[in-house]
Every structure is written in C-alpha cells, then in structure tokens.
Amino acid sequence: MSVPATVKLLFHSDLDDPAAWIPHLRREMPGLEVEVWPKVADPRDVDVAFIWTQPPEGLSTYTNLKAILALGAGINQLDLASLPSGVPLARLVDPMLAAAMADYCLYAVLHYQREFDRHARAQAERRWNHTLPRAKDGFRVGVMGLGEMGGTAARLIAGHGFPVRGWTRTPRTFAGISCFAGDEALGSFAAKSDLVICLLPLTAATRGILGKPLFDRLPAGAFVVNAGRGAHVVDADLVAALDSGRLGGAMLDVFREEPLPSGHPFWAHPLISVTPHVASFGDPRSATPQVVENVRRALAGRPLLNQVDVARGY
Ligand SMILES: NC(=O)c1ccc[n+]([C@@H]2O[C@H](COP(=O)([O-])OP(=O)(O)OC[C@H]3O[C@@H](n4cnc5c(N)ncnc54)[C@H](OP(=O)(O)O)[C@@H]3O)[C@@H](O)[C@H]2O)c1
C-alpha cells in the first residue's frame, strides 16, 4: 500500500528514550514524522500515537488519530476508559521482550531451587551453609498466564527440566506443561506449585490475586515471583505470609508505586528480592517492524497486529 508523503506519529513516554526509536522508525518508514510530546505542532495532524501513557492533557485534541500503539506489552498503564472511543489500540509484542522475560523467570527459578537466597543470607552471617538443593524434577513451577510472556517463560523453564504447570483464563494446550484454566482450577494449580510466577495482565479479575487466599493454597514455604504488574500483589498479605513462614521468599519486579518509595517495607525485607521493573524491555531493533506495520494498517483502516480487546481488558 502506498503511504502518504508525511505521516505524523506522536511519541509520549516517561520511560522510553525517543532517540532510541526514531532512527529505526525512520529507516523503516522514511515518510514518518515523529513529534515528541510536548513539541506537537498541531494535534489534529497526528495520525498515530505511540505512547507508554497518555499525555497529561489526554488525547481528545488528537482528533484524527487512526491508532494508538502502546509502547509496552501491558496496556493497564493507559487509562482505557479515557482513550478516544473507536480508535483501535495495539500493544507491543516483541520476541526479544518475551525472551528477556523468560530469562528473568528462569533466573528466579534457579535462584530459589539452588538456594542462592539462603546462601546470600548465610554469607552475610559468615556461616558455612552446606545444604544441597532440592532436585530439579521435584521443584514444581506454576506460571500464571501463558500469553506472550508466560508461554515463553513456561517453555524455557520446562526445557530446563522443571515440572511446569500453567494457569489461564480459557483452556490452553502446551506440550509438556500441565494446563489449568479458570477460577475453579486455581486451587488445584496452586496446591502443587513450589514457586509461582505471575505473568497475568492487570484486569479487574486479576488485581490483588497474589494475596492471602492464594498464598494459603500454595505448598508451605513456596516462592512467589511477580513480573506482571504491581497491583497483582496485596503488599501487606505478602509481608505477613513471609513473616509467618507461609512463603519462603519473593522476587518482585513490579510495584503498585514505581519507583518503589524508599520507605516501603519490601526494600529491607530479608526474604524479598527487588528488581526495578527490568524483567524485560522492548528493543527498538526487533520491535520497529511491528510498529511500522501497524502504522500502515492504521492508515489503510485495517485491523492492527496485536490489537487489544478493550472490553476484556487485555
Ligand atoms: N516486568 C516487565 O518488565 C514486563 C514486561 C512485559 C510485560 N509485562 C507484564 O506481563 C504480563 C503478561 O503480558 P503478556 O504479553 O504475556 O499478556 P498476554 O499475551 O495478553 O497473556 C495474558 C495471559 O494471562 C491469562 N489471563 C488473563 N486473565 C486471566 C484470568 N482472569 N485468569 C487466568 N488467566 C488469565 C490469559 O489467558 P488466556 O490465554 O485464556 O487469554 C493469557 O494466557 C502483563 O501484566 C504485562 O504488563 C511485564
């Protein structure tokens, strides 16, 4: 399809550097003009918004938008209800994003199965902690959400010899992974997960899912890894479950408030590992073709790749 001489793209993000994207975008689509918020000449001339969050004034003045492309795999940072209605929304699905996430999750599994957490605590006390780890094939990993992130992570971890089970909203089949679906299956899924990894989208159904009711269903001393979104965790329930010994440790990459406030109890908790929302990151080199293809689709009025079902919330 021929593309108009100039196509205007709005870029808005407080996390992503436009300079990392612009050369790749221009190479793929020479007619593309990128306007980095707040330097927007006339919002009415913008064709496509490429954003992490909405600009503070919203998008209502961008009256000719043909698509909103999220700068992340998750879209809950965008207030879906306040997006202009009728403008399709797509999320970023980048193979390198999923691969980086899978590496993070495999690291977390090995960290706890090989007891690096215990060894680090022992070293701090100059204590020789000669305990041998649990066998890999007896360390059961449960992955909540088997989408782009969870599916890739589950396959990688299973490929390393760990028994893996997955939990989804609708029934799924993955070779070598025991699959559970729906709220009624959450208990059986949790009961045999020595470590759970949350890679769910944040929706009304999943907010607060990493809380006491789930922790009580996990085997005693289980580990929790959250790389989904911060509001999946009920912070006070997590601290209570760790303090009581119900849970053995938690590795957290995402938080209700980011950056995590300096006074937050997670920072200093001996059983919590904090990473600053770095489990995965989009790479403009591998993600640009999808963005440009979606700009072309938007201009042609065709359905977008990885279009979000706004009613479903993911
Ligand atoms: N920390 C980071 O650096 C980082 C980076 C990228 C993404 N993320 C986060 O990772 C999460 C997953 O992203 P994704 O791209 O993999 O999402 P996705 O492809 O949309 O997959 C979502 C998965 O969650 C399942 N799910 C949704 N609602 C559910 C429910 N109520 N009960 C059970 N399962 C449910 C879906 O089930 P169905 O298969 O049945 O639809 C699907 O398997 C998001 O929260 C995203 O924000 C974090």
Side-chain angles (χ1 to χ4, degrees):
M1 182 228 150
S2 68
V3 172
T6 54
V7 178
K8 283 201 176 177
L9 184 91
L10 164 73
F11 188 103
H12 178 263
S13 174
D14 40 18
L15 294 181
D16 305 271
D17 178 6
W21 282 91
I22 289 171
H24 296 282
L25 291 167
R26 290 235 176 90
R27 195 170 307 126
E28 289 273 332
M29 192 182 240
L32 193 69
E33 222 174 88
V34 181
E35 298 204 313
V36 180
W37 188 89
K39 290 188 185 155
V40 180
D42 185 344
R44 290 170 302 181
D45 293 339
V46 173
D47 297 290
V48 173
F50 186 36
I51 57 176
W52 168 248
T53 53
Q54 291 197 58
E57 75 278 14
L59 289 171
S60 58
T61 55
Y62 295 76
T63 47
N64 288 308
L65 271 189
K66 295 160 191 71
I68 301 166
L69 309 181
L71 254 162
I75 41 86
N76 67 283
Q77 71 282 358
L78 292 161
D79 174 16
L80 296 187
S82 70
L83 292 178
S85 65
V87 180
L89 167 67
R91 68 202 188 95
L92 203 58
V93 173
D94 170 4
M96 283 174 72
L97 195 73
M101 177 62 82
D103 284 348
Y104 179 94
C105 295
L106 177 61
Y107 169 82
V109 169
L110 291 168
H111 179 81
Y112 290 116
Q113 182 254 335
R114 295 302 303 264
E115 304 189 347
F116 283 103
D117 57 331
R118 286 172 191 265
H119 296 311
R121 292 195 292 274
Q123 182 179 350
E125 296 163 10
R126 297 172 176 262
R127 185 164 47 83
W128 188 254
N129 174 44
H130 185 73
T131 56
L132 294 178
R134 235 189 292 182
K136 242 185 188 184
D137 60 5
F139 193 83
R140 302 160 300 181
V141 177
V143 181
M144 303 174 77
L146 292 176
E148 293 295 329
M149 301 295 138
T152 310
R155 281 195 208 93
L156 182 72
I157 296 162
H160 273 256
F162 290 94
V164 177
R165 38 184 47 216
W167 182 64
T168 51
R169 191 177 60 88
T170 55
R172 302 273 170 197
T173 315
F174 278 73
I177 293 167
S178 312
C179 293
F180 298 75
D183 292 343
E184 57 294 344
L186 182 59
S188 345
F189 162 83
K192 291 184 179 168
S193 295
D194 298 310
L195 178 150
V196 282
I197 300 173
C198 175
L199 285 169
L200 294 165
L202 184 64
T203 65
T206 66
R207 186 176 289 273
I209 196 159
L210 300 178
K212 187 176 183 331
L214 178 74
F215 301 154
D216 286 347
R217 292 161 124 172
L218 295 170
F223 303 99
V224 171
V225 177
N226 186 26
R229 284 289 182 258
H232 284 131
V233 177
V234 180
D235 293 6
D237 287 6
L238 179 63
V239 170
L242 291 165
D243 288 347
S244 70
R246 185 83 210 40
L247 293 178
M251 188 174 290
L252 308 173
D253 186 57
V254 284
F255 304 91
R256 284 175 179 262
E257 189 181 342
E258 296 182 5
L260 184 63
S262 60
H264 197 286
F266 287 172
W267 279 119
H269 199 288
L271 298 180
I272 294 181
S273 291
V274 167
T275 53
H277 203 145
V278 291
S280 176
F281 32 84
D283 187 322
R285 289 172 301 171
S286 53
T288 296
Q290 183 209 125
V291 175
V292 167
E293 170 61 17
N294 267 345
V295 171
R296 293 203 170 95
R297 285 172 176 242
L299 294 171
R302 288 193 287 134
L304 305 178
L305 298 174
N306 306 306
Q307 192 162 326
V308 173
D309 178 343
V310 174
R312 193 181 64 168
Y314 72 100

